[in-house]
Amino acid sequence: MAKKSKVIKMHHRFKLDIGVVIFLIIIIYVVFNVFDYLTSSPVAEYEVGQGTIATNYVYHGLILRDETVVYAGQRGYINHYLKNAGKASVNDVIYSIDTDGGLSKKITTAASDGTNLDTQTLSEISGKLDSFRNSYDLNSFSAVNAFKNDIASQLSQTLSVNALQTLEEDVGLAEANHTFHKKKTEKPGIIVYYTDGYETVTADNFTADHFNITDYASVTLENNAQVEAADPAYKRIGSEAWNIIIPVSEEVVKQLEEDEYVRIRFCKDNFTISVPFSVIKKDGTSYLNLSLRTAMIRYVNDRFVDIELVVSQEAGLKIPNSAITSKEFYTIPKEYFTKQESSEPGLLIRKDKGKTELTLVTPTIYYENEDYYYVDDEFVSAGDLVVRNDSVDTYSIGKDVGELTGVYNINKGYAVFKQINILSRNENYSIVEMKTVYGIALYDHIALEGAKVKENQLVVK
């Protein structure tokens, strides 16, 4: 007879192992982040720093000076004895006229012989060459031509004066025969050797046509060999005071109406100076009359000059324009927010119009003005009803919306929109206000390409 089995089969219930669950959650989280990292585009970042941006305007200015054209007075062959842009005192010999040409030719020939230069002159020229070589800027090649002309003018002056002294006996004989005449200046001033027809133009009588550079032409006097009595011999500038006239818009006039001085930069050589100005109205156009008392000799050979007006300069946080984007928000009246113990404003939300159940949420506030808070859709949705804590009034979210300009802050590894207040901007950068309540701060890291980032996006660097 077979024995009965005493083994009793037990049915085990499935028990949930919390450790396995946590392990699976971690695995899923890691896989998700690895997938997100592999499929996400890296976000370039920019560290916010301080900076300034100047609001500048570049204009083509008309230069006006105290200019007097001095005429030859006699027909004959002319030689000059003072370099261009040189300073002359009363009774300095500026030029000579030789009526028969023989002595003038001798002076010209002697002046072309550089072997007679004295040690002092050679030392001065050598010093100028060393100074120019040490200060030369590769970005200012035009300075080479100006320097060359200055050296050539100094050499010509020195050699011509030496020739006049070497030929003293011949000069004396020619003067006695009234065929050679030394011409001296009656007044002190800066001597230049060109005319252009603008010598009588002043701040009172200029016209819009004087700014037409297409028809502008100047006549060089220094290379003339023979002149008539009525021909110009040189031009004398009698004062260091000079003016620059520029046509400007009414916008610029308005920006400057509270100022007495304006800062200008000469584009030719980057020379910068603050000068007084006045506004002239002519034929419906506004002109700035810039009054200068220095640096006239730097631009003595120019009738027109490009200058930059530095009208204003804003300081703040400097960020690239590529980081700036915009985002739309719900605007909710402030009276519908409830103060909580945490002191952060909250909203009593009714999700279903047919029910009375309310949910208290604390949305992220991105900006505020006098009447509204700006919130996004993280905790609320369009159509939700906000109930006032102290009444039965309700407000439907989505009724009013507003757009903010800002950047995405990525300090914490994910993108958070921050509103900015732009003070000034140029082609590449903007200056934004510092220490704003909902804005960015110095040394914050922001997304360099703001339009390519979304709220709460994980940042892959």
Side-chain angles (χ1 to χ4, degrees), residues 46 48-56 263 308 310-321 422-434 442:
Y46 174 86
V48 177
Q50 284 184 285
T52 59
I53 289 181
T55 303
N56 300 346
R263 192 160 185 80
E308 182 179 51
V310 184
V311 176
S312 63
Q313 186 163 294
E314 297 285 357
L317 300 177
K318 188 174 183 179
I319 61 174
N321 292 335
I422 299 175
L423 301 176
S424 180
R425 70 191 304 167
N426 60 20
E427 184 178 349
N428 299 312
Y429 290 91
S430 292
I431 298 297
V432 304
E433 188 177 350
M434 300 177 66
L442 187 63

Side-chain angles (χ1 to χ4, degrees), residues 115-275:
T115 60
N116 295 325
L117 286 173
D118 57 77
T119 304
Q120 181 180 352
T121 301
L122 290 172
S123 178
E124 288 179 3
I125 293 175
S126 178
K128 285 187 175 183
L129 288 169
D130 289 338
S131 177
F132 180 78
R133 182 174 63 251
N134 293 332
S135 62
Y136 175 64
D137 183 358
L138 292 174
N139 295 320
S140 302
F141 183 74
S142 60
V144 176
N145 192 53
F147 179 72
K148 183 197 73 173
N149 292 337
D150 180 61
I151 293 296
S153 183
Q154 181 178 353
L155 286 172
S156 177
Q157 172 198 7
T158 303
L159 291 171
S160 295
V161 172
N162 289 346
L164 194 64
Q165 295 172 348
T166 302
L167 299 169
E168 185 176 357
E169 185 176 339
D170 293 337
V171 169
L173 182 60
E175 286 180 320
N177 293 331
H178 304 290
T179 61
F180 188 82
H181 308 273
K182 295 177 183 177
K183 301 294 183 176
K184 301 178 180 181
T185 179
E186 298 177 354
K187 296 180 180 180
I190 307 297
I191 307 301
V192 292
Y193 298 111
Y194 77 93
T195 61
D196 57 8
Y198 281 68
E199 286 77 18
T200 59
V201 179
T202 67
D204 296 322
N205 64 20
F206 76 88
T207 67
D209 290 338
H210 287 122
F211 291 85
N212 184 4
I213 62 174
T214 303
D215 298 329
Y216 176 78
S218 61
V219 178
T220 300
L221 307 176
E222 200 169 10
N223 297 327
N224 288 349
Q226 190 173 6
V227 293
E228 299 294 331
D231 288 344
Y234 67 91
K235 182 164 62 178
R236 182 182 65 246
I237 300 174
S239 173
E240 286 282 349
W242 55 302
N243 299 79
I244 303 176
I245 310 294
I246 57 173
V248 295
S249 66
E250 290 302 316
E251 177 187 357
V252 172
V253 172
K254 188 174 181 179
Q255 286 181 277
L256 295 172
E257 61 185 0
E258 301 294 331
D259 301 323
E260 295 181 1
Y261 286 77
V262 63
R263 192 160 185 80
I264 64 174
R265 181 183 70 86
F266 290 83
C267 300
K268 179 179 181 179
D269 56 7
N270 289 320
F271 177 65
T272 304
I273 188 173
S274 293
V275 298

Side-chain angles (χ1 to χ4, degrees), residues 43 64-65 73 129-130 154 178 233 235 261 330 379-380 392:
V43 175
L64 302 178
R65 312 179 188 87
L129 288 169
D130 289 338
Q154 181 178 353
H178 304 290
K235 182 164 62 178
Y261 286 77
Y330 299 129
F379 296 100
V380 296
V392 296

Side-chain angles (χ1 to χ4, degrees), residues 288-457:
L288 282 191
N289 178 14
L290 307 175
S291 301
L292 296 91
R293 296 292 182 270
T294 186
M296 185 273 294
I297 201 168
R298 294 173 71 114
Y299 313 99
V300 72
N301 294 313
D302 299 314
R303 179 61 66 186
F304 298 97
V305 62
D306 290 329
I307 63 171
E308 182 179 51
L309 294 184
V310 184
V311 176
S312 63
Q313 186 163 294
E314 297 285 357
L317 300 177
K318 188 174 183 179
I319 61 174
N321 292 335
S322 61
I324 300 173
T325 186
S326 60
K327 182 180 176 181
E328 196 172 78
F329 293 88
Y330 299 129
T331 55
I332 303 175
K334 287 185 173 181
E335 60 264 27
Y336 283 89
F337 281 79
T338 301
K339 290 292 183 180
Q340 305 179 75
E341 293 182 2
S342 64
S343 76
E344 294 185 7
L347 294 172
L348 291 172
I349 300 295
R350 182 187 297 158
K351 292 288 184 179
D352 193 329
K353 294 182 180 179
K355 295 182 179 180
T356 59
E357 183 181 353
L358 298 178
T359 304
L360 178 63
V361 299
T362 306
T364 301
I365 296 174
Y366 290 85
Y367 180 68
E368 68 175 287
N369 56 28
E370 187 176 347
D371 300 314
Y372 293 93
Y373 284 121
Y374 286 65
V375 304
D376 65 4
D377 58 0
E378 184 178 6
F379 296 100
V380 296
S381 303
D384 290 349
L385 289 180
V386 182
V387 181
R388 286 185 60 164
N389 190 35
D390 56 353
S391 73
V392 296
D393 293 343
T394 60
Y395 175 84
S396 179
I397 292 179
K399 178 181 178 181
D400 299 300
V401 295
E403 189 174 78
L404 295 178
T405 299
V407 298
Y408 279 101
N409 184 305
I410 56 174
N411 286 347
K412 298 180 180 180
Y414 58 90
V416 178
F417 185 89
K418 295 290 184 179
Q419 182 266 348
I420 59 173
N421 181 23
I422 299 175
L423 301 176
S424 180
R425 70 191 304 167
N426 60 20
E427 184 178 349
N428 299 312
Y429 290 91
S430 292
I431 298 297
V432 304
E433 188 177 350
M434 300 177 66
K435 298 181 180 179
T436 53
V437 177
Y438 301 99
I440 56 175
L442 187 63
Y443 305 127
D444 274 352
H445 288 244
I446 61 175
L448 185 60
E449 299 288 340
K452 297 180 180 180
V453 180
K454 296 181 180 179
E455 190 73 27
N456 292 321
Q457 175 183 328

